Amino acid sequence: MDLFSAIDTEPVRKHMEELAAEVDRLNHEYYMNDRSLVSDEEFDRMLRELQDLERQYPELASPLSPTKRVGGEVNKKFRQVEHRFPMLSLGNTYSIEEIEEFEARTRRLLDGTPFSYTCELKYDGVAIGLTYRHGQLVQAVTRGNGAVGDDITINAKTIGTIPLRLRGEYPDDFEARGEVVYPFDAFEAMNKQREAEGDEPFANPRNAASGSLKLQDSAECAKRKLMFCMYFMMAPDGVALPDTHYGRLEWARQMGFKVQPYIQECKDITEIKAFIDHWDKARWELPFGIDGIVIKVNQTALWDRLGLTAKSPRWAIAYKFKAERVSTPLESISFQVGRTGKVTPVANLQPVWLGGTTVRRATLVNADFIEKMGICVGDSLLIEKGGEIIPKVIGVDMEKRQAGAMPVQYIERCPECGARLVREEGEAGHYCPNSDGCHPQIIGRLEHFVSRKAMNIETLGPERLELLYAAGLVRNVADIYDLKREQLIGLGSEATIQEKGADNLLAAVEGSKQVPFDRVVFALGIRYVGEVGAKKLARYFKNMESLMNAGEEELAQVEDVGDVTARAVAEWFADGEHRKIVDRLREAGLQMEYRADEGDERLAGMTIVVSGVFEHFSRDEIKADIERHGGKVSGSISGKTTYLLAGDKMGPEKLKKAEKLGVRLLSETEYMEMVGQ
Ligand code: IVH
């Protein structure tokens, strides 16, 4: 590396700019116009070339580069920022009469002035505000409390429908507002993947969109395939905008925003009502969720005349759709047994079309729920679907109740293994106590143990576990560590596991021995002990020995561990079979002691200056990594600097200054060793 050679970077800069412009253009066609102008491979090649160049010449990388769309920056905590213009909400109603009143009041207040309305969709997502200056995205902020929100700029940049640079003419300084929604197909695919990986699925696309915007790793957010629907534009005094709301959105579309085409100018209440009626039925054909219709006075000069109430403008209102509800016969009830033995009753329904999908099943939660609803054999149930994707049983359709109908009898024995079910005091649900002999419990526990957030043995999916179970090789989680290569090869009816598969599997099993203690505690699958609870138990008891021998009272001392969980933990460890399993896991070499995340402390008290480019990290990543290990990152070298973390192509001035002040240089490899990577 020759630090002092001067390279003429001008041609590189120009090439990078051209590449970025081309990728931007392709992105725009793809996200806004649903058109792929080149193959995926060609697109990836261009993006990768740009990424490589940015890594090589970080000083030439633009913060608005299309490479930001794939994420990679990590945000520890979202900065709170004040909104330049408060983010007001809208008055809303479920009643058409109130929409009629709104329309009549507006007409009265405007006293003969000619005007119109715009009717548009009320997107069911998360409101954000995007600030653009000189055509460039400078900040993205969530609504928060309307006055202050979270700065989620790095995540917003990963959303393809948010333009990073505007096209054509644009106001020099303005804010674009809209809703980030999670399209149904992407939402369902993501939830499926979460479930496969042992994560709790999101309840609905709105929650998922909100959670995604708050992800600390923007690369994760990029994978979520969110969409931004723009619906509002505002600018400071002195910046001219079109004088109709419709005109503003039209202009925004030309600048490169995704403005949904479902917007209509309406002249009176009849047209407004027709728009509402249409979308009340047609909404399920949309690829994303809406929860109503927003009606705004179109002429923006009239907004001031109409003014504001305490928290919402008088020139707009939202009509909210009622949840859709249908009645359908209950054909039978199935009982599912989970890994903890918990039994969940599920209603098998006569298939019925509701809110865009055919509903065949719905949860009946537990015995209490069935009793409370008073469900009888032969009943029809009322099913509702609001903003949620998952339909809910909300009651019995009493009009269809048959004479002499008998209440549903809850099962007394486990549908899987025949054991007598138990219902503990204070518990709403039933459990199958036969944990060692009940198939779904055994497989469920194994699945949980190997899942990503537990021991993360990826190569052991549900099918393989079934295979190992059927072959008599794995009955409990400790058996996984006794597996031998020769037992695995050729396993399965069509020799599903071959040599390479066996090696990979054993390597993954071996790798899991490094998984930290708190995740081992989580992996045991003790009832009520989730990821967070396991962490708290691990931190408090420090090792398996103490945790195993703790009494109920001491367990309940742990932060966030209630009496019920404390009892479940104590009972779990009181079982001799469980203790044997834990002993075998210890012998196998799993982590049985808590280590205060060494990463958190290792760089405590150190101030590090980062310069140049790195092989394993982007510059932002390595800075975040230093902070994660308790170190401080500084931009300039001084007497207080502990190390100059020197990457490739480091500036000569920094090096000179470090030498002058006697600051030690640290290479990327040395750094990685230091933090134990
Ligand atoms: S206009 C000052 N238009 O619904 C008016 N809002 O309380 C600004 N929303 O907070 C809002 N779709 O998050 C507007 N087409 C749309 C909308 C919309 C969804 C959200 C927005 C707002 C809430 C209403």
Side-chain angles (χ1 to χ4, degrees):
M1 160 176 82
D2 180 5
L3 289 172
F4 298 96
S5 68
I7 315 161
D8 177 13
T9 52
E10 187 49 27
V12 183
R13 193 190 57 76
K14 200 156 169 267
H15 179 57
M16 283 169 78
E17 254 179 38
E18 282 163 5
L19 254 178
E22 181 59 5
V23 173
D24 270 341
R25 186 178 76 92
L26 295 171
N27 261 335
H28 179 84
E29 289 299 329
Y30 182 79
Y31 287 112
M32 309 291 173
N33 302 330
D34 293 323
R35 249 199 318 245
S36 291
L37 299 184
V38 295
S39 68
D40 287 358
E41 290 78 28
E42 176 60 8
F43 181 82
D44 288 344
R45 192 200 57 72
M46 280 193 256
L47 197 65
R48 229 172 303 120
E49 184 184 349
L50 186 58
Q51 272 169 332
D52 288 345
L53 286 167
E54 287 177 353
R55 226 169 273 138
Q56 221 176 327
Y57 301 94
E59 66 282 9
L60 303 183
S62 156
L64 295 178
S65 159
T67 58
K68 298 287 178 229
R69 298 232 186 260
V70 281
E73 285 180 81
V74 175
N75 211 340
K76 253 188 131 175
K77 192 168 178 294
F78 293 98
R79 201 166 55 97
Q80 295 248 301
V81 284
E82 207 173 313
H83 288 290
R84 187 153 53 141
F85 315 103
M87 260 181 136
L88 302 175
S89 60
L90 297 178
N92 64 59
T93 175
Y94 288 94
S95 131
I96 283 288
E97 289 73 41
E98 285 187 25
I99 296 296
E100 287 169 348
E101 281 164 24
F102 161 83
E103 200 281 330
R105 188 176 56 239
T106 311
R107 224 170 341 109
R108 201 176 54 245
L109 288 170
L110 292 177
D111 196 21
T113 313
F115 72 101
S116 60
Y117 299 96
T118 54
C119 286
E120 61 196 277
L121 307 181
K122 182 169 175 347
Y123 309 105
D124 193 10
V126 183
I128 62 168
L130 305 171
T131 303
Y132 286 84
R133 292 213 176 88
H134 315 299
Q136 303 197 339
L137 173 69
V138 291
Q139 193 173 55
V141 183
T142 60
R143 180 170 191 279
N145 63 9
V148 176
D150 287 327
D151 180 339
I152 44 115
T153 313
I154 62 162
N155 283 344
K157 282 183 189 172
T158 68
I159 300 175
T161 37
I162 292 183
L164 304 180
R165 290 171 219 265
L166 302 177
R167 339 176 104 217
E169 304 264 315
Y170 41 76
D172 221 29
D173 180 10
F174 73 102
E175 188 171 327
R177 288 199 178 154
E179 205 89 350
V180 173
V181 296
Y182 214 134
F184 290 134
D185 53 351
F187 169 77
E188 275 170 30
M190 183 264 317
N191 251 359
K192 242 184 223 143
Q193 194 183 341
R194 280 177 80 83
E195 279 182 288
E197 289 175 352
D199 289 334
E200 191 68 23
F202 283 108
N204 58 52
R206 189 192 335 107
N207 290 0
S210 168
S212 303
L213 288 179
K214 299 283 178 61
L215 282 168
Q216 294 191 330
D217 181 355
S218 59
E220 274 307 305
C221 184
K223 288 185 199 150
R224 296 284 174 95
K225 308 265 180 290
L226 299 168
M227 185 164 105
F228 176 71
C229 300
M230 149 113 188
Y231 57 60
F232 202 60
M233 197 200 278
M234 56 210 316
D237 288 343
V239 176
L241 296 179
D243 58 7
T244 63
H245 176 62
Y246 197 92
R248 291 179 182 189
L249 293 191
E250 266 305 310
W251 193 20
R253 184 177 290 128
Q254 284 159 25
M255 291 178 213
F257 287 99
K258 183 111 186 166
V259 178
Q260 294 295 335
Y262 320 108
I263 172 167
Q264 193 180 312
E265 192 177 345
C266 294
K267 62 176 188 312
D268 56 23
I269 188 71
T270 315
E271 288 185 8
I272 294 173
K273 284 206 275 196
F275 190 87
I276 290 177
D277 276 351
H278 170 76
W279 283 107
D280 198 358
K281 293 181 201 81
R283 65 176 154 145
W284 300 109
E285 287 155 28
L286 288 165
F288 50 82
I290 62 170
D291 59 346
I293 294 298
V294 177
I295 303 135
K296 298 170 189 160
V297 168
N298 190 25
Q299 288 69 20
T300 58
L302 302 178
W303 292 358
D304 278 348
R305 255 175 78 182
L306 291 162
L308 305 173
T309 67
K311 54 181 174 74
S312 50
R314 263 203 209 95
W315 43 264
I317 192 164
Y319 173 80
K320 300 237 305 186
F321 296 132
K322 289 176 205 71
E324 257 197 76
R325 183 182 292 187
V326 288
S327 157
T328 188
L330 167 68
E331 291 185 333
S332 63
I333 299 180
S334 307
F335 295 86
Q336 291 174 352
V337 184
R339 74 173 160 85
T340 57
K342 185 178 164 197
V343 176
T344 307
V346 179
N348 296 310
L349 305 163
Q350 193 174 93
V352 61
W353 185 249
L354 173 68
T357 48
T358 303
V359 179
R360 294 188 166 79
R361 267 176 292 277
T363 179
L364 292 172
V365 191
N366 55 38
D368 275 3
F369 183 88
I370 295 178
E371 212 179 297
K372 205 174 75 203
M373 295 275 167
I375 300 173
C376 289
V377 177
D379 271 350
S380 280
L381 302 182
L382 294 170
I383 317 289
E384 203 175 87
K385 195 160 165 183
E388 324 291 298
I389 285 265
I390 302 152
K392 270 198 217 132
V393 172
I394 53 148
V396 172
D397 183 354
M398 292 310 281
E399 283 176 15
K400 299 205 184 127
R401 166 69 53 87
Q402 288 157 14
M406 296 298 287
V408 163
Q409 286 294 307
Y410 208 78
I411 48 166
E412 291 180 356
R413 292 190 173 273
C414 174
E416 299 283 342
C417 72
R420 186 167 286 280
L421 298 179
V422 291
R423 189 179 190 180
E424 282 154 24
E425 216 177 297
E427 294 268 350
H430 289 69
Y431 286 86
C432 166
N434 180 21
S435 59
D436 296 328
C438 182
H439 187 80
Q441 292 191 59
I442 300 168
I443 294 291
R445 273 198 304 273
L446 292 166
E447 279 180 17
H448 170 76
F449 185 82
V450 301
S451 66
R452 198 170 52 84
K453 294 207 164 160
M455 303 309 286
N456 193 23
I457 309 177
E458 268 183 32
T459 46
L460 267 183
E463 280 152 37
R464 286 214 166 158
L465 285 172
E466 287 282 4
L467 211 61
L468 296 174
Y469 177 79
L473 293 173
V474 173
R475 296 274 142 169
N476 65 48
V477 299
D479 295 338
I480 293 173
Y481 294 90
D482 288 342
L483 289 171
K484 304 270 175 306
R485 191 171 189 268
E486 53 281 8
Q487 294 175 319
L488 295 171
I489 295 172
L491 216 59
S493 53
E494 289 157 36
T496 323
I497 303 185
Q498 301 198 348
E499 289 195 8
K500 193 149 180 272
D503 288 339
N504 288 344
L505 200 158
L506 291 175
V509 169
E510 195 55 33
S512 75
K513 294 179 184 171
Q514 300 312 318
V515 164
F517 175 54
D518 60 288
R519 278 169 52 191
V520 176
V521 175
F522 173 60
L524 295 177
I526 304 170
R527 220 201 281 178
Y528 311 119
V529 178
E531 245 186 303
V532 177
K535 265 205 179 81
K536 301 219 157 137
L537 287 169
R539 201 175 300 153
Y540 184 94
F541 288 101
K542 301 281 184 278
N543 57 51
M544 191 65 95
E545 209 52 39
S546 315
L547 174 62
M548 262 169 115
N549 297 318
E552 232 176 280
E553 263 174 42
E554 195 185 358
L555 284 159
Q557 297 298 310
V558 181
E559 192 191 348
D560 287 347
V561 173
D563 291 346
V564 178
T565 312
R567 190 178 328 134
V569 176
E571 278 175 7
W572 197 91
F573 283 112
D575 183 326
E577 287 306 312
H578 290 159
R579 293 178 89 93
K580 269 191 221 154
I581 290 176
V582 173
D583 286 342
R584 285 177 59 202
L585 293 177
R586 182 186 295 107
E587 273 161 40
L590 270 66
Q591 302 295 318
M592 294 288 161
E593 292 205 358
Y594 179 73
R595 286 198 217 130
D597 184 7
E598 285 164 317
D600 277 345
E601 325 282 349
R602 289 187 193 195
L603 305 179
M606 299 186 192
T607 302
I608 300 180
V609 174
V610 176
S611 181
V613 285
F614 301 91
E615 194 184 336
H616 298 95
F617 303 85
S618 74
R619 199 111 65 112
D620 287 331
E621 276 167 2
I622 208 157
K623 285 182 185 168
D625 199 66
I626 293 170
E627 284 171 357
R628 202 159 55 77
H629 291 289
K632 217 179 121 198
V633 178
S634 164
S636 58
I637 301 172
S638 73
K640 291 196 194 123
T641 310
T642 323
Y643 292 112
L644 169 60
L645 181 48
D648 218 1
K649 302 201 166 49
M650 183 179 63
E653 301 79 24
K654 283 226 165 85
L655 187 64
K656 270 191 212 155
K657 194 153 182 204
E659 273 172 10
K660 204 167 126 203
L661 295 174
V663 172
R664 264 206 57 197
L665 249 66
L666 198 65
S667 72
E668 184 177 359
T669 322
E670 283 172 321
Y671 171 80
M672 286 170 72
E673 271 167 19
M674 209 156 132
V675 296
Q677 286 180 19

